[in-house]
Amino acid sequence: MALTREQMARRVALELQDGFYVNLGIGIPTLVANYIPDGMQVMLQSENGLLGMGRFPTEDELDADMINAGKQTVTAVPGASIFSSAESFAMIRGGHIDLTVLGAFEVDVQGNIASWMVPGKLIKGMGGSMDLVAGAENIIVTMTHCSKDGQSKLLPECTLPLTGAGCIRRVLTDLAYLEIIDGAFHLKERAPGVTVEEIAEKTAGKLVIPDHVPEMSFA
Amino acid sequence: MALTREQMARRVALELQDGFYVNLGIGIPTLVANYIPDGMQVMLQSENGLLGMGRFPTEDELDADMINAGKQTVTAVPGASIFSSAESFAMIRGGHIDLTVLGAFEVDVQGNIASWMVPGKLIKGMGGSMDLVAGAENIIVTMTHCSKDGQSKLLPECTLPLTGAGCIRRVLTDLAYLEIIDGAFHLKERAPGVTVEEIAEKTAGKLVIPDHVPEMSFA
Amino acid sequence: MAGFDKRVASLEEALDGLEDGMTVIAGGFGLCGIPENLIQAIRDRGTRDLTVVSNNCGVDGFGLGVLLEDRQIRKIIASYVGENAMFERQMLDGELEVELTPQGTLAEKMRAGGAGIPAFYTATGYGTPIAEGKETRVIDGRDYVLEHAIRGDFAIVKGWKADWYGNVIYRHTAQNFNPLAATAGRITVVEVEEIVAPGELPPSQIHTPGIYVDRLLCGTFEKRIEQRTLSA
Amino acid sequence: MAGFDKRVASLEEALDGLEDGMTVIAGGFGLCGIPENLIQAIRDRGTRDLTVVSNNCGVDGFGLGVLLEDRQIRKIIASYVGENAMFERQMLDGELEVELTPQGTLAEKMRAGGAGIPAFYTATGYGTPIAEGKETRVIDGRDYVLEHAIRGDFAIVKGWKADWYGNVIYRHTAQNFNPLAATAGRITVVEVEEIVAPGELPPSQIHTPGIYVDRLLCGTFEKRIEQRTLSA
C-alpha cells in the first residue's frame, strides 16, 4: 500500500539526528515535525527568519507577527532566534542547515529537481527553494511517486523548469525510498506491501534494484 | 601664518550641515567634533561599529567595551546605534555617510590619495580608509601642506601607494583650502597671513589661482 | 524637521516625490510585517507603472495586492506568487512583467544595494531558468551565478518601534525583508506602531540604524493573518 | 553534550582539533572584544604556522600579539598594523606574511564566507596596490574589484552573554568583527562573560544565532584599554 502523508513524514523523521538544524518545506515535509523521536532535540529553521520554530499557538498566543515560511501562525521554542531574511538565507546558502526536506514535481537521475512552475499553467514561484537546494548538503525530497494522472515523477530527465541542478541525493515517495547515485535511482526500501515490480513500473528514470529490497520501517 | 590643528578643525567644521552623518578619521579630523556649530546636530560614525559617538567618558563611565575607531574610550549619544563591522562598512561603502574627513600623506591633481604606507619604512595599514574613500561622495582631506622636510604633499602624481584613486575633491591644509577640478588644485582660500606666492611655491601639483583668493574665515 | 528628526506629518508627505515609473522596494513576507498604510497611500496617490520589489505581492484585496487590482504595477521582482490569483493571472496574461528571483538572492540583492556591493556570486539558481542570460563562473570547483544589487527610488518599511532619529526595531518574524529594504531605498520611509524619544531604544539592539531612514511615521495596522493555525 | 548544548568543559576541549598550519579567524577590534582566553590557550597549546585572520593583531604582549611573540603565526590577514611594533618588524623583516585587506572588505569577506557568497565586487581598493592581481570590472560605469570569501578552520569569538544553545549577544562596540567571524569558522568557539538558560535571551535580540556556534565557554577577561581617554 502506498504510504500516507503521515507515514512519509514518519519515515523522513528517521533521518533526523540529535542536534540537527532542519528546514522543512511546505506540505508533507512540515508533518515531519510531528514525528521527532522522544529525547531527540531538533531545531526547525523557517526561512522567513526564525530558528527554533515551535508548535502552533493557542488562541491566547496567536500573533500575526509570528509566522513560519508557510505563512502559518507559529510559536518559538525557548532558545529560538529571529532575524532578517538576509541572515536567514546566509545560514541556508552558507551550508549551516543539517537537513532540508522539501517537496517536488519531478526529480531525475542526475539529481535535478523541478518544483516551482509548470509553464503556461501554474507559477507558484520558487520562494526559498532554490536557495535551500543550493545551500544544503543533505536534502530529502518527499513527493508522490506518480502524478495524479499516473505519470512517473522520477525521470530520466526533468521536463519542467529546474529548481536546482545535481543537488538531490535522496527521495522518499509514497512507494519507496531511493538514493540517486551515478545517474540512477537506487531502490533502498519499499513501502510495506508495495512490490519491487510496481516501483519499477512507476519509475521512468533508470532504476537500480538490489537483490534484497527491505520493507520500510517507521521507528 | 600656517593654521594650527585647531584652526584646521574649525575650518572643516564649516562644511558640516545640520543632520549630517559624519565619519572623522584619526588626528586632526577627530578635532572637528569640538567645533560643531551651536544648534547644529551632527552624528558621528565610528567605523568599528558605532553611529552616534559622544564625548570621552568620565572616570565612572569608562568602559573597555566602548571605544571608537581610534581605540579611544568614548560614550554614545542618546539615539546612538551599535552594530557589527560588516554593517558599519555596509553603511560606509553604500554611500550613506554625508561627510568623511581624513588625513593623508599625499594627494594629487587626479584626486588620488596616499595615506597608509611608506614602502620599506612604515606600514600602518589602511584600516577603514580605503572603504571610506571609495564609499563617500563627500570627502575632505586634512593634512599639512608640506612634509616635515619641506616637500609638498600636493603633487602632480602621488608617489606612495594609493589609498584610493580619483576620489578626493577637497583638501584643507595648514596653508590653504583647495578643490581638485579637472586635473588641477584650485586655490579657494588661503590661511590668514599666508600669501598666494607661498602656497604656489609649496604646491607641486598644477595649481589654478583665481584673481581673488580670500582669506579663510572660521565662523 | 531639523537635525535627525525623521518624523513626517502625513502619508502624503511620507511619499512626496514618488512618481510614475519609479521603483519601490517593500518589506514584508506574506502579509506579515507589511507597510499597510504606505501601500494604501500609494493606491490613493494613484502612482502608476511602478516596479515593485517585494518577496510576494500580498493577496487579493490586501497588501500589495491592492496595487495589482488598480493596475498600478508594471513589473514585480518577487520570489513567490503562491495563492495570489490576480498576480498569477496578470502574469500569465502578460499584463504584468515578473522577474522571479529566489528568496535568498532577493534578500541578498537588497542588502547588496544598500551596502555598496554592486554584484555577488551565488550557487542559487545555477542550472535553472533564473540563471539564463546571466554570467556564471566556477569558483573552487563549484558553479555560481553572478547576481546584481537592487536599489529603489523608494523603500517602504514596516517597523515596530522607532525613535525619532529613525532607529528601528522589528517585532518577531515581522522583521523579514524590512531591514534589507530599508538600506536599499534612495528615500526610505518607515511606518511603525510606536515612536519613542532617542535614547529609549538600547543602541546594540537597533535592527535598522537611523542613517538608513529618511521619513518616519506612526500608524495603526490591521495585521491580517494568512494562515490562522492553532494548537489543538 | 547532547542536542544543542554547546558548552564545553575547558579551553583544551574548546580548541580540540586545532592543528599546525590551520586558519583561525578571530573577532575583536584593537583590544576590544577579543577572545583573550582562547588566544592564551592557543599560545599554551603551541600550535604553529597559523594563518590568522583578524582586523589587527593585538599589541606587544597582549591579544594576538602573544602569538607573534612566540612565532606561532605564519601569515596574517588584517587591515591594520598600527602601533604594534613586533607586527611591523616581523612584516618588514619578511618573517611574517601579511595580506593587508581593507577593513570593510575584511568584514565582508568573513560575512561572505559564512553566507555562501564565494565572491563579491567592491569599489574599495580599486586603483591601489591591494587590487593588484585581482580581477576588476566596470559595473554601471564604475570600477570594482572582485574579492573572495574567507573561511577558517576555527573561528574564535568573544561574546557577552550566551545561552547554552550558543545564541550570543555582544556588548557595546565589543561586537565589531565577532558576529562575522562566528559565521565563517568550520568550528566556531565562543567565550562569553555569562551563560544563561535557553529562553532567557530575547529571540529578536540575538546577534549570533546558535546555529553558527559549535563550542561555548565562560571566562573572565582583563579587557585591557588601548587609549584611555577621559572627559576633563
Side-chain angles (χ1 to χ4, degrees):
Chain A
M1 283 256 298
L3 301 182
T4 62
R5 288 159 54 91
E6 287 68 27
Q7 285 175 312
M8 291 175 71
R10 282 173 63 193
R11 174 60 190 85
V12 170
L14 295 183
E15 304 297 315
L16 298 172
Q17 293 180 26
D18 195 32
F20 259 23
Y21 296 97
V22 177
N23 185 294
L24 301 176
I26 297 172
I28 293 167
T30 299
L31 300 176
V32 174
N34 300 332
Y35 301 101
I36 299 168
D38 285 343
M40 183 184 288
Q41 270 197 304
V42 164
M43 204 168 276
L44 302 177
Q45 204 255 18
S46 192
E47 65 267 25
N48 56 318
L50 168 61
L51 181 67
M53 178 168 61
R55 56 168 174 70
F56 293 144
T58 63
E59 193 77 52
D60 282 352
E61 291 166 334
L62 187 75
D63 187 331
D65 289 339
M66 195 66 201
I67 68 168
N68 66 15
K71 280 94 172 179
Q72 297 171 312
T73 48
V74 293
T75 57
V77 301
S81 52
I82 296 174
F83 32 78
S84 76
S85 300
E87 178 59 47
S88 183
F89 283 93
M91 244 170 232
I92 289 168
R93 211 177 30 229
H96 303 277
I97 305 288
D98 296 301
L99 179 67
T100 291
V101 185
L102 75 174
F105 299 151
E106 297 175 348
V107 169
D108 72 25
V109 295
Q110 299 303 331
N112 297 322
I113 172 174
S115 62
W116 64 283
M117 82 171 288
V118 180
K121 280 193 192 161
L122 167 120
I123 311 182
K124 290 168 51 173
M126 69 292 285
S129 59
M130 285 190 182
D131 306 278
L132 281 160
V133 298
E137 287 289 310
N138 194 358
I139 305 171
I140 301 178
V141 168
T142 61
M143 61 180 190
T144 55
H145 211 94
C146 296
S147 62
K148 278 174 189 155
D149 58 358
Q151 300 298 308
S152 177
K153 293 159 78 172
L154 289 88
L155 303 176
E157 191 176 352
C158 286
T159 64
L160 297 171
L162 296 188
T163 307
C167 48
I168 306 301
R169 297 283 163 271
R170 297 193 278 167
V171 183
L172 178 77
T173 74
D174 53 344
L175 303 183
Y177 172 68
L178 310 101
E179 291 181 9
I180 302 173
I181 305 166
D182 292 337
F185 296 108
H186 289 243
L187 182 57
K188 294 290 180 181
E189 300 172 18
R190 56 197 170 80
V194 171
T195 63
V196 167
E197 290 68 31
E198 181 182 351
I199 295 166
E201 185 192 331
K202 292 181 171 172
T203 303
K206 182 177 174 188
L207 182 68
V208 175
I209 303 170
D211 288 345
H212 175 65
V213 181
E215 265 195 9
M216 213 170 274
S217 90
F218 299 96
Chain B
M1 284 258 296
L3 301 182
T4 62
R5 290 160 53 90
E6 286 69 25
Q7 283 175 312
M8 290 175 71
R10 281 172 64 194
R11 175 60 190 85
V12 170
L14 296 183
E15 304 297 314
L16 298 171
Q17 292 179 29
D18 195 32
F20 259 23
Y21 296 97
V22 177
N23 185 293
L24 301 177
I26 297 172
I28 294 167
T30 299
L31 300 176
V32 173
N34 300 332
Y35 300 102
I36 299 168
D38 285 343
M40 183 184 286
Q41 271 199 302
V42 163
M43 204 168 274
L44 301 178
Q45 205 255 18
S46 192
E47 64 267 26
N48 56 319
L50 169 60
L51 181 67
M53 178 167 61
R55 56 168 174 72
F56 293 145
T58 63
E59 194 77 54
D60 281 352
E61 291 166 334
L62 187 76
D63 188 329
D65 289 339
M66 195 66 201
I67 67 168
N68 66 15
K71 281 95 173 178
Q72 299 172 310
T73 48
V74 292
T75 58
V77 301
S81 52
I82 296 174
F83 32 78
S84 76
S85 300
E87 178 59 47
S88 183
F89 283 93
M91 245 171 231
I92 289 168
R93 210 176 31 229
H96 303 277
I97 306 287
D98 296 302
L99 178 68
T100 291
V101 185
L102 76 173
F105 299 152
E106 297 175 349
V107 169
D108 73 24
V109 296
Q110 299 303 331
N112 297 323
I113 173 173
S115 62
W116 64 283
M117 81 170 289
V118 180
K121 281 194 192 160
L122 167 119
I123 310 183
K124 292 168 50 174
M126 69 292 285
S129 59
M130 285 191 182
D131 306 279
L132 281 160
V133 299
E137 286 289 309
N138 193 357
I139 304 171
I140 300 179
V141 168
T142 62
M143 60 180 191
T144 55
H145 211 94
C146 296
S147 63
K148 278 174 191 156
D149 58 357
Q151 299 298 307
S152 178
K153 293 159 78 170
L154 289 88
L155 304 176
E157 191 175 353
C158 287
T159 63
L160 298 171
L162 296 188
T163 306
C167 48
I168 306 301
R169 297 282 164 272
R170 296 193 279 166
V171 183
L172 179 78
T173 74
D174 53 343
L175 303 184
Y177 173 68
L178 310 100
E179 291 182 10
I180 301 173
I181 304 166
D182 292 339
F185 295 108
H186 288 242
L187 182 57
K188 293 290 181 182
E189 300 172 18
R190 56 197 170 81
V194 171
T195 63
V196 167
E197 289 68 31
E198 181 182 352
I199 295 166
E201 186 192 328
K202 292 182 173 172
T203 303
K206 181 177 175 189
L207 183 69
V208 175
I209 303 170
D211 289 344
H212 176 64
V213 180
E215 265 194 8
M216 212 170 274
S217 89
F218 299 96
Chain C
M1 193 172 80
F4 296 94
D5 189 348
K6 310 290 176 73
R7 291 173 295 181
V8 295
S10 66
L11 286 161
E12 292 68 38
E13 192 181 332
L15 293 175
D16 186 44
L18 179 67
E19 291 171 16
D20 290 357
M22 279 188 168
T23 295
V24 177
I25 303 184
F29 176 85
L31 301 181
C32 183
I34 59 173
E36 296 180 14
N37 300 292
L38 287 162
I39 292 167
Q40 189 57 50
I42 293 175
R43 179 183 210 171
D44 294 344
R45 205 178 162 88
T47 317
R48 304 188 70 78
D49 292 323
L50 292 172
T51 294
V52 168
V53 185
S54 170
N55 186 61
N56 32 11
C57 200
V59 295
D60 293 339
F62 197 68
L64 289 166
V66 304
L67 303 183
L68 282 176
E69 250 171 41
D70 281 8
R71 302 287 195 280
Q72 292 176 261
I73 305 180
R74 188 183 60 75
K75 178 178 176 180
I76 294 183
I77 300 174
S79 86
Y80 197 67
V81 182
E83 296 68 36
N84 187 327
M86 181 165 300
F87 187 171
E88 190 168 5
R89 198 183 60 242
Q90 287 189 18
M91 175 168 49
L92 291 172
D93 291 353
E95 276 183 62
L96 181 68
E97 186 184 343
V98 179
E99 189 175 317
L100 281 171
T101 303
Q103 194 172 336
T105 298
L106 185 62
E108 194 68 13
K109 282 160 88 84
M110 289 186 196
R111 179 190 179 272
I117 301 291
F120 57 90
Y121 288 95
T122 175
T124 301
Y126 180 84
T128 78
I130 73 112
E132 278 167 22
K134 290 178 185 164
E135 199 176 312
T136 62
R137 166 190 304 243
V138 178
I139 300 175
D140 291 336
R142 193 162 179 212
D143 295 301
Y144 294 94
V145 183
L146 183 66
E147 293 282 2
H148 285 78
I150 292 181
R151 294 204 63 190
D153 298 298
F154 273 75
I156 57 173
V157 169
K158 158 69 172 67
W160 178 33
K161 292 184 186 183
D163 65 27
W164 62 67
Y165 291 176
N167 292 303
V168 183
I169 289 177
Y170 304 94
R171 186 166 175 275
H172 302 333
T173 61
Q175 181 172 164
N176 57 62
F177 282 84
N178 280 298
L180 316 169
T183 67
R186 289 189 185 79
I187 296 176
T188 290
V189 189
V190 181
E191 56 177 340
V192 296
E193 298 177 44
E194 186 184 353
I195 296 180
V196 302
E200 288 195 29
L201 303 176
S204 291
Q205 303 299 3
I206 304 295
H207 294 123
T208 293
I211 194 169
Y212 294 115
V213 176
D214 299 288
R215 302 172 189 174
L216 176 68
L217 71 177
C218 197
T220 56
F221 296 85
E222 178 182 337
K223 294 194 186 180
R224 201 180 287 186
I225 291 175
E226 235 169 313
Q227 304 280 341
R228 184 188 172 92
T229 45
L230 292 171
S231 279
Chain D
M1 193 174 79
F4 297 93
D5 189 347
K6 309 290 176 74
R7 290 172 295 180
V8 295
S10 66
L11 287 160
E12 292 68 38
E13 192 180 334
L15 293 175
D16 186 45
L18 178 67
E19 291 172 17
D20 290 357
M22 280 189 168
T23 295
V24 177
I25 303 184
F29 176 86
L31 301 181
C32 182
I34 59 172
E36 296 180 14
N37 301 293
L38 287 163
I39 292 167
Q40 189 56 49
I42 293 176
R43 178 183 211 171
D44 296 344
R45 206 179 162 87
T47 317
R48 305 188 68 80
D49 292 322
L50 292 172
T51 294
V52 168
V53 185
S54 170
N55 185 61
N56 30 12
C57 199
V59 295
D60 293 340
F62 196 68
L64 290 166
V66 304
L67 302 184
L68 282 177
E69 251 171 41
D70 282 7
R71 303 285 194 281
Q72 293 176 260
I73 305 181
R74 187 183 61 75
K75 177 178 176 180
I76 295 184
I77 300 175
S79 86
Y80 198 68
V81 182
E83 297 69 35
N84 187 326
M86 179 164 301
F87 187 171
E88 192 169 3
R89 199 182 60 240
Q90 288 189 18
M91 175 168 48
L92 291 173
D93 292 352
E95 276 184 63
L96 181 68
E97 186 183 343
V98 179
E99 189 175 317
L100 281 171
T101 304
Q103 195 172 335
T105 298
L106 185 63
E108 194 68 12
K109 281 160 88 83
M110 289 185 196
R111 179 192 179 271
I117 300 291
F120 58 90
Y121 287 95
T122 175
T124 300
Y126 180 84
T128 77
I130 72 112
E132 277 168 23
K134 289 177 186 165
E135 199 176 313
T136 62
R137 168 191 301 243
V138 178
I139 300 175
D140 291 337
R142 194 162 179 210
D143 295 302
Y144 295 94
V145 183
L146 182 66
E147 294 282 2
H148 286 78
I150 292 181
R151 293 205 64 190
D153 297 299
F154 273 75
I156 56 173
V157 169
K158 158 70 173 67
W160 177 34
K161 292 184 185 182
D163 65 28
W164 64 67
Y165 290 176
N167 293 303
V168 184
I169 290 177
Y170 305 94
R171 187 167 175 275
H172 302 334
T173 61
Q175 181 172 165
N176 57 63
F177 282 84
N178 280 299
L180 315 169
T183 67
R186 287 188 187 80
I187 296 177
T188 291
V189 190
V190 181
E191 55 177 341
V192 297
E193 299 176 43
E194 186 185 352
I195 297 179
V196 302
E200 288 195 29
L201 303 176
S204 291
Q205 303 298 6
I206 305 294
H207 294 124
T208 293
I211 194 169
Y212 295 114
V213 176
D214 298 289
R215 302 173 189 174
L216 176 69
L217 72 176
C218 197
T220 56
F221 297 85
E222 178 182 337
K223 294 194 186 181
R224 201 179 287 187
I225 291 176
E226 234 169 313
Q227 304 280 341
R228 183 188 172 91
T229 45
L230 292 171
S231 279

